[in-house]
Amino acid sequence: MIGDFVDEVNIKVIAGKGGDGAVSFRREKFVEKGGPDGGDGGDGGSIIIKSTLNKNTLVDFKYKKIFRAKNGENGKNKKKAGKSGENVFIEVPVGTCVYDLETNELLSDLKVPQQYLVVARGGKGGKGNARFATSTLQVPRIAEKGVEGESKNLKLVLKIVADVGLIGYPNVGKSTLISRISNAKVEIADYPFTTIVPNLGVVKINTGYSFVVADIPGLIEGAHLGKGLGDQFLRHIERCSILVHLIDISCFERDNPVEDYILIRKELESFSHILSKKKEIIVANKIDTIQKDTLEKRLTDFKNRTGKDIFPISAYTGENIQELITMVWNHISKEKIEQQKLFEKRIKSAITERIKIQPVIYEPDPYIKINVIKWDNETFEVVGDGIEKLLTRYDINQKDSRLLILNTLEKNGLNKILKNAGVKEGDTVYIGNFAFEYIP
């Protein structure tokens, strides 16, 4: 891409880990009976993508591609919970599609302002030992570890939200037209691909409404395959309500308006079924450069060969420009007015809206598949996905946590599996980084 217009980026998002629960006991001077008072860990921060009207490009992600949310704080004594990690909000332009980079699944199409998508949830904080006290375990030395937050690789693809898309071959006058009908300040020159990024302009209507026009960089034959400026910008007209297809009727730059029209239509159809079905207004530009009788012959020839009406204008002199604006507005007014009401309602409701995020919760599986690896004649290791999950949730170096892990594994047949694997009394058995002497 050239300049500061960026419409496709890859980023990585990493949510925060939940804080660990605390193992703590009351030791106050005048408290006759102490007890466990370890608090819970705080939840990890989540990562949220939010659409905004204040941005129109993804250039912010050109250099910053990794976003991390803070971890939750560990629990404290006196049953004090750790502070949860702050959520991270990533602002993107309205019109951004969010894809999972690994699966290419579309996670959300952010079509309206203030739309939110939680892309990575923070992990749940672990319980402190105060939560494990029972009548039979009055002094628990056990606490949960915080759960890891989600991590994802994402692809952000911007499709400009414009009501009208100006299309046509290079140098047919699109930049001149958009500069005349809107507030857009565009570069205009006499060479191919003057427009190298989409230009946006706002056209105001007497009724107080307005609509957005996108001047799409010149298309050529083979654009859908990446030729010329290629398919970089074809996606930007998929959202448009209507296409204004500009034809150079003067034949100075290109000598066959009908063929030009047919070739561009083929490019649209080859790129997307959506584009092939878009409503269009065909416009003959540069009528100020040819004689009236020549113009009439070419307009009639176009109608006869395509079966479609073509509206004559001069973007340079302004002839028939107001009529063209009225024609476009008549096609899109109903949809645009409804969209405007939706935007206003969405922005208003977002002021008081609160996002509720369920953190990532992990509960160990009751049924665990246990495997045994033999390292030598006297050393073995117990492994398995369920075991790894247990070790991420509980600290095997804590006595009561260790008993919980062993009891869970024994319920899943640990002793029998060890015997079948050839483990003998006195052999060393590893679970995680903890070594046991095996006693049947």
Side-chain angles (χ1 to χ4, degrees):
M1 300 296 294
I2 301 174
D4 289 334
F5 185 82
V6 178
D7 63 352
E8 184 173 324
V9 293
N10 296 336
I11 64 172
K12 185 178 182 68
V13 292
I14 305 168
K17 174 184 174 295
D20 298 338
V23 174
S24 174
F25 297 91
R26 295 172 65 184
R27 293 183 177 86
E28 298 165 64
K29 185 174 181 181
F30 298 106
V31 176
E32 183 178 349
K33 293 183 179 181
D37 70 347
D40 299 341
D43 296 339
S46 298
I47 298 183
I48 302 147
I49 291 181
K50 169 188 171 185
S51 58
T52 177
L53 292 171
N54 297 327
K55 296 180 184 293
N56 56 16
T57 173
L58 298 174
V59 69
D60 292 349
F61 305 97
K62 197 172 182 180
Y63 303 106
K64 182 175 175 58
K65 294 182 178 293
I66 300 177
F67 297 83
R68 296 177 184 271
K70 290 187 177 180
N71 297 335
E73 290 183 354
N74 294 336
K76 303 173 184 178
N77 60 358
K78 297 183 180 179
K79 299 182 181 179
K80 291 180 180 178
K83 185 179 178 181
S84 293
E86 290 186 7
N87 295 331
V88 171
F89 287 84
I90 303 173
E91 289 194 336
V92 298
V94 171
T96 300
C97 296
V98 183
Y99 293 88
D100 185 310
L101 189 59
E102 310 300 330
T103 64
N104 208 35
E105 176 191 0
L106 176 63
L107 303 179
S108 185
D109 186 353
L110 306 177
K111 294 181 178 179
V112 298
Q114 304 295 331
Q115 193 173 342
Y116 297 92
L117 173 65
V118 180
V119 289
R121 296 180 298 144
K124 179 73 176 174
K127 297 175 183 176
N129 70 332
R131 298 287 200 104
F132 289 90
T134 65
S135 58
T136 56
L137 184 62
Q138 297 181 1
V139 189
R141 297 183 179 276
I142 178 174
E144 292 177 339
K145 295 180 184 179
V147 179
E148 291 288 342
E150 293 177 330
S151 174
K152 289 180 182 175
N153 292 307
L154 303 174
K155 178 171 69 174
L156 306 181
V157 177
L158 174 61
K159 296 182 181 180
I160 288 175
V161 179
D163 305 296
V164 181
L166 290 182
I167 62 172
Y169 267 88
N171 282 354
V172 295
K174 299 192 305 298
S175 295
T176 303
L177 178 59
I178 196 173
S179 65
R180 178 171 283 278
I181 66 175
S182 74
N183 59 355
K185 293 180 174 60
V186 299
E187 179 185 359
I188 301 172
D190 189 22
Y191 52 84
F193 302 121
T194 298
T195 305
I196 53 178
V197 298
N199 289 313
L200 292 179
V202 178
V203 181
K204 295 183 179 179
I205 306 298
N206 294 334
T207 57
Y209 286 98
S210 62
F211 61 86
V212 179
V213 180
D215 168 14
I216 304 302
L219 302 178
I220 63 172
E221 185 178 3
H224 76 282
L225 299 174
K227 292 183 180 179
L229 291 176
D231 58 357
Q232 295 180 47
F233 302 114
L234 280 169
R235 70 165 73 102
H236 292 299
I237 53 178
E238 285 188 317
R239 296 192 191 278
C240 296
S241 299
I242 193 169
L243 303 179
V244 173
H245 194 149
L246 220 57
I247 302 293
D248 181 357
I249 205 68
S250 72
C251 297
F252 290 156
E253 293 285 342
R254 301 184 61 81
D255 58 8
N256 196 327
V258 176
E259 184 179 330
D260 285 354
Y261 171 76
I262 293 172
L263 288 174
I264 293 296
R265 287 300 310 175
K266 285 182 178 178
E267 290 306 314
L268 300 181
E269 292 163 7
S270 298
F271 181 77
S272 164
H273 176 73
I274 296 173
L275 290 183
S276 68
K277 299 298 182 183
K278 288 283 181 189
K279 292 185 292 186
E280 70 171 352
I281 296 175
I282 308 169
V283 177
N285 190 26
K286 303 186 182 180
I287 63 173
D288 58 296
T289 62
I290 57 177
Q291 296 295 327
K292 189 171 182 180
D293 58 340
T294 304
L295 172 63
E296 292 298 331
K297 287 179 182 179
R298 291 178 183 173
L299 294 178
T300 301
D301 179 60
F302 189 95
K303 170 80 172 178
N304 292 338
R305 293 174 62 185
T306 64
K308 297 185 178 182
D309 293 322
I310 184 167
F311 186 73
I313 69 162
S314 171
Y316 180 73
T317 66
E319 186 176 351
N320 290 340
I321 292 295
Q322 192 56 51
E323 290 82 352
L324 175 61
I325 292 173
T326 301
M327 190 184 304
V328 171
W329 180 245
N330 288 340
H331 276 87
I332 69 170
S333 57
K334 183 178 179 181
E335 181 180 343
K336 183 62 180 176
I337 291 171
E338 290 177 356
Q339 182 192 64
Q340 188 68 30
K341 290 179 180 178
L342 174 64
F343 275 26
E344 291 172 355
K345 182 178 179 181
R346 183 67 187 168
I347 292 172
K348 186 177 180 180
S349 64
I351 297 174
T352 56
E353 184 178 9
R354 296 186 64 183
I355 304 174
K356 295 181 180 179
I357 302 173
Q358 179 68 34
V360 180
I361 299 174
Y362 165 69
E363 296 298 336
D365 299 325
Y367 302 104
I368 297 174
K369 185 177 180 180
I370 300 172
N371 296 308
V372 178
I373 297 175
K374 182 177 181 179
W375 294 112
D376 57 42
N377 289 333
E378 297 179 348
T379 308
F380 299 81
E381 183 181 3
V382 177
V383 296
D385 290 342
I387 296 171
E388 290 300 318
K389 290 181 179 180
L390 271 175
L391 295 175
T392 61
R393 194 60 166 149
Y394 300 102
D395 185 356
I396 198 169
N397 294 295
Q398 293 174 343
K399 178 184 175 183
D400 292 332
S401 294
R402 188 160 59 249
L403 289 174
L404 183 150
I405 292 170
L406 288 173
N407 286 337
T408 302
L409 296 180
E410 185 52 43
K411 290 177 182 178
N412 286 272
L414 176 63
N415 193 50
K416 182 178 179 181
I417 292 170
L418 290 174
K419 283 183 178 180
N420 291 339
V423 182
K424 305 180 298 296
E425 184 173 353
D427 287 348
T428 301
V429 177
Y430 279 91
I431 300 178
N433 61 1
F434 202 91
F436 298 84
E437 179 182 348
Y438 178 62
I439 300 174

